[in-house]
Amino acid sequence: MGQPTASVTETLTGFPAVNSAKANRSTLSNDSGLTIQQLTGGPYTIENAGTIEASNITSNGPNIRLEVGTSVDNSGLIDTGGSANLQSIHFIDNSGTNSVINSGTIQAETTGDYGRAIRVINASLTEITNSSGGTIKVTDASWNAGAIVINTGASVNTITNNGTITAIGTTHSRGITSIHTGTIDRIDNTGTIQAQGGSESNHGIVFWNDSGTTVTNSGTIQGTGGNYSYGIRKGSNGSITKITNTGTIKGGKDGISNSGNITNIVNTGTITGTSGYGIHNGDGSITNLTNSQNNLTYTAYLPTNYYVKVNSSSSYGKITFSNPQGSMNVGIGDDSTLSEGTYETVIDGVTSSNISDSSGTYISNANHYKYSLTNSSGNQWDLIVNDLTEDVQCSLNSS
């Protein structure tokens, strides 16, 4: 490996150890991986505005391997290529303080199995931030492409994406994965998180564990291709805390597929599935679902509580259930704007046996309302709202 033309002031394999590494419009390269390897000392900073590359990796080869606290700030290209089991940045067995801020490109290109752009094992990161214009991606993996993988013993406080996170492969592609004992506290997305492939399952975000994550999306989260592709997939092990969607969540099959536990879903955007449903709650539980989308579809186990979010007399949540199992309470979503009248077909596809409590009172813009569900025809249910403001005021005056 030749001496790079830019100044190098960090622990690079074969280079002296000082305080920071900079590749400024130059190239650091290694034909077989481990272009940069941090093993002792730290904390360190890697600043790259040029190219850090590794090629011809045949097995278990990272481009950058970090075992001590390191902050990576990339505005250039970190590029890793090979035939199997490779990662561009690998935090492993690292008890220090770590982070990644990317406004450039971090990518892994593999023709074999297991390509990852960022992989974290037994290490903690304060943040992974992908800025607007930034790209984190894996391409061409034949099996298990993962743009960001949070694995055993790993934790990330916040993943923020304002750019593009992409995984492309033949079988099983994932934009962001939380697996085994890895945890992610928050995922905030205003950009695009996507996975696509030719067969099997491709998920924008997948939680195979008890991650407890809060996901906030105002961009696009999607999984396409294959027979079982989802925007967000929650496996059977454990729970996540909340999904707040004002953007788009979509899947080749279902938008959200849940087999575990989700405490809250708040949807004021769109959640759709091309061949399936917006939400598939097959073997799991959803405690609270609030919805203002006017064509949300849902199958299997009902949420414990379903809340209709009302924006106006002509804009409000409508949901169609298929194969409903269990029963649910129905109420009005927070920050709704009510007026007296009938909101038609807020719910379709359930019978009275699927509905528990479905009436109550609600205050909107200082007005008091009473609401209740009524069965309009078949399995369709309307929301009836009566204004109680004058009655309440009279009662107060009388008292």
PDB file of all heavy atoms in Angstrom, residues 16 73 87 122 136 198 215 242 278 303 308-309 312 359:
ATOM      1  N   PRO A  16       2.003   6.015  10.987  1.00  0.00           N
ATOM      2  CA  PRO A  16       2.175   6.409  12.383  1.00  0.00           C
ATOM      3  C   PRO A  16       0.870   6.775  13.049  1.00  0.00           C
ATOM      4  O   PRO A  16      -0.077   7.213  12.404  1.00  0.00           O
ATOM      5  CB  PRO A  16       3.101   7.639  12.282  1.00  0.00           C
ATOM      6  CG  PRO A  16       2.864   8.176  10.915  1.00  0.00           C
ATOM      7  CD  PRO A  16       2.621   6.972  10.048  1.00  0.00           C
ATOM      8  N   ASP A  73     -16.098  11.300   9.749  1.00  0.00           N
ATOM      9  CA  ASP A  73     -16.769  12.388   9.039  1.00  0.00           C
ATOM     10  C   ASP A  73     -16.403  12.260   7.564  1.00  0.00           C
ATOM     11  O   ASP A  73     -15.275  12.560   7.158  1.00  0.00           O
ATOM     12  CB  ASP A  73     -16.328  13.735   9.604  1.00  0.00           C
ATOM     13  CG  ASP A  73     -17.141  14.900   9.046  1.00  0.00           C
ATOM     14  OD1 ASP A  73     -17.828  14.712   8.023  1.00  0.00           O
ATOM     15  OD2 ASP A  73     -17.079  16.002   9.625  1.00  0.00           O
ATOM     16  N   GLN A  87     -17.568  -5.251   4.585  1.00  0.00           N
ATOM     17  CA  GLN A  87     -18.193  -4.058   5.138  1.00  0.00           C
ATOM     18  C   GLN A  87     -17.270  -2.868   4.934  1.00  0.00           C
ATOM     19  O   GLN A  87     -16.052  -2.987   5.057  1.00  0.00           O
ATOM     20  CB  GLN A  87     -18.539  -4.221   6.611  1.00  0.00           C
ATOM     21  CG  GLN A  87     -17.535  -4.947   7.456  1.00  0.00           C
ATOM     22  CD  GLN A  87     -17.834  -6.427   7.571  1.00  0.00           C
ATOM     23  OE1 GLN A  87     -18.981  -6.846   7.535  1.00  0.00           O
ATOM     24  NE2 GLN A  87     -16.793  -7.240   7.718  1.00  0.00           N
ATOM     25  N   ASN A 122     -20.917  -5.139  19.263  1.00  0.00           N
ATOM     26  CA  ASN A 122     -20.283  -4.880  20.564  1.00  0.00           C
ATOM     27  C   ASN A 122     -19.642  -3.488  20.611  1.00  0.00           C
ATOM     28  O   ASN A 122     -18.487  -3.323  21.024  1.00  0.00           O
ATOM     29  CB  ASN A 122     -19.230  -5.945  20.880  1.00  0.00           C
ATOM     30  CG  ASN A 122     -19.853  -7.301  21.140  1.00  0.00           C
ATOM     31  OD1 ASN A 122     -20.911  -7.401  21.758  1.00  0.00           O
ATOM     32  ND2 ASN A 122     -19.201  -8.349  20.668  1.00  0.00           N
ATOM     33  N   ILE A 136     -25.676   5.995   1.640  1.00  0.00           N
ATOM     34  CA  ILE A 136     -25.134   4.799   2.290  1.00  0.00           C
ATOM     35  C   ILE A 136     -25.781   3.617   1.583  1.00  0.00           C
ATOM     36  O   ILE A 136     -27.008   3.481   1.617  1.00  0.00           O
ATOM     37  CB  ILE A 136     -25.444   4.778   3.795  1.00  0.00           C
ATOM     38  CG1 ILE A 136     -24.828   5.996   4.497  1.00  0.00           C
ATOM     39  CG2 ILE A 136     -24.940   3.495   4.440  1.00  0.00           C
ATOM     40  CD1 ILE A 136     -25.227   6.145   5.950  1.00  0.00           C
ATOM     41  N   GLY A 198     -34.510  -9.324  -6.114  1.00  0.00           N
ATOM     42  CA  GLY A 198     -35.216 -10.130  -7.083  1.00  0.00           C
ATOM     43  C   GLY A 198     -36.104 -11.196  -6.481  1.00  0.00           C
ATOM     44  O   GLY A 198     -37.035 -11.664  -7.137  1.00  0.00           O
ATOM     45  N   VAL A 215     -39.534   5.264  15.570  1.00  0.00           N
ATOM     46  CA  VAL A 215     -39.298   5.611  14.170  1.00  0.00           C
ATOM     47  C   VAL A 215     -40.166   6.810  13.813  1.00  0.00           C
ATOM     48  O   VAL A 215     -41.387   6.779  13.991  1.00  0.00           O
ATOM     49  CB  VAL A 215     -39.636   4.435  13.228  1.00  0.00           C
ATOM     50  CG1 VAL A 215     -39.402   4.839  11.769  1.00  0.00           C
ATOM     51  CG2 VAL A 215     -38.811   3.203  13.582  1.00  0.00           C
ATOM     52  N   LYS A 242     -42.685   3.129  18.915  1.00  0.00           N
ATOM     53  CA  LYS A 242     -43.603   4.007  18.188  1.00  0.00           C
ATOM     54  C   LYS A 242     -43.157   4.192  16.754  1.00  0.00           C
ATOM     55  O   LYS A 242     -41.962   4.313  16.474  1.00  0.00           O
ATOM     56  CB  LYS A 242     -43.686   5.371  18.887  1.00  0.00           C
ATOM     57  CG  LYS A 242     -44.751   6.312  18.338  1.00  0.00           C
ATOM     58  CD  LYS A 242     -44.844   7.576  19.181  1.00  0.00           C
ATOM     59  CE  LYS A 242     -46.001   8.468  18.738  1.00  0.00           C
ATOM     60  NZ  LYS A 242     -46.132   9.685  19.581  1.00  0.00           N
ATOM     61  N   GLY A 278     -51.813  -2.263   3.946  1.00  0.00           N
ATOM     62  CA  GLY A 278     -51.030  -1.215   4.573  1.00  0.00           C
ATOM     63  C   GLY A 278     -50.372  -1.725   5.836  1.00  0.00           C
ATOM     64  O   GLY A 278     -49.177  -1.549   6.052  1.00  0.00           O
ATOM     65  N   PRO A 303     -55.978  -3.768  16.472  1.00  0.00           N
ATOM     66  CA  PRO A 303     -55.291  -3.024  17.529  1.00  0.00           C
ATOM     67  C   PRO A 303     -56.161  -2.980  18.781  1.00  0.00           C
ATOM     68  O   PRO A 303     -57.390  -3.093  18.703  1.00  0.00           O
ATOM     69  CB  PRO A 303     -55.115  -1.631  16.918  1.00  0.00           C
ATOM     70  CG  PRO A 303     -56.240  -1.511  15.944  1.00  0.00           C
ATOM     71  CD  PRO A 303     -56.426  -2.887  15.373  1.00  0.00           C
ATOM     72  N   VAL A 308     -59.666   7.500  15.200  1.00  0.00           N
ATOM     73  CA  VAL A 308     -59.915   8.195  13.936  1.00  0.00           C
ATOM     74  C   VAL A 308     -59.391   9.614  14.066  1.00  0.00           C
ATOM     75  O   VAL A 308     -59.844  10.379  14.921  1.00  0.00           O
ATOM     76  CB  VAL A 308     -61.415   8.232  13.606  1.00  0.00           C
ATOM     77  CG1 VAL A 308     -61.639   8.911  12.258  1.00  0.00           C
ATOM     78  CG2 VAL A 308     -62.009   6.830  13.621  1.00  0.00           C
ATOM     79  N   LYS A 309     -58.429   9.975  13.227  1.00  0.00           N
ATOM     80  CA  LYS A 309     -57.918  11.347  13.222  1.00  0.00           C
ATOM     81  C   LYS A 309     -58.740  12.153  12.208  1.00  0.00           C
ATOM     82  O   LYS A 309     -58.817  11.813  11.034  1.00  0.00           O
ATOM     83  CB  LYS A 309     -56.443  11.347  12.827  1.00  0.00           C
ATOM     84  CG  LYS A 309     -55.814  12.721  12.653  1.00  0.00           C
ATOM     85  CD  LYS A 309     -55.602  13.418  13.962  1.00  0.00           C
ATOM     86  CE  LYS A 309     -54.607  14.579  13.826  1.00  0.00           C
ATOM     87  NZ  LYS A 309     -54.965  15.584  12.830  1.00  0.00           N
ATOM     88  N   SER A 312     -60.956  17.551   9.025  1.00  0.00           N
ATOM     89  CA  SER A 312     -62.097  18.398   8.684  1.00  0.00           C
ATOM     90  C   SER A 312     -63.263  17.472   8.357  1.00  0.00           C
ATOM     91  O   SER A 312     -63.135  16.244   8.385  1.00  0.00           O
ATOM     92  CB  SER A 312     -61.776  19.288   7.477  1.00  0.00           C
ATOM     93  OG  SER A 312     -61.644  18.512   6.296  1.00  0.00           O
ATOM     94  N   SER A 359     -67.851   5.005  22.012  1.00  0.00           N
ATOM     95  CA  SER A 359     -68.498   6.303  22.195  1.00  0.00           C
ATOM     96  C   SER A 359     -67.787   7.071  23.292  1.00  0.00           C
ATOM     97  O   SER A 359     -67.075   6.501  24.122  1.00  0.00           O
ATOM     98  CB  SER A 359     -69.979   6.125  22.550  1.00  0.00           C
ATOM     99  OG  SER A 359     -70.122   5.448  23.790  1.00  0.00           O
TER     100      SER A 359
END
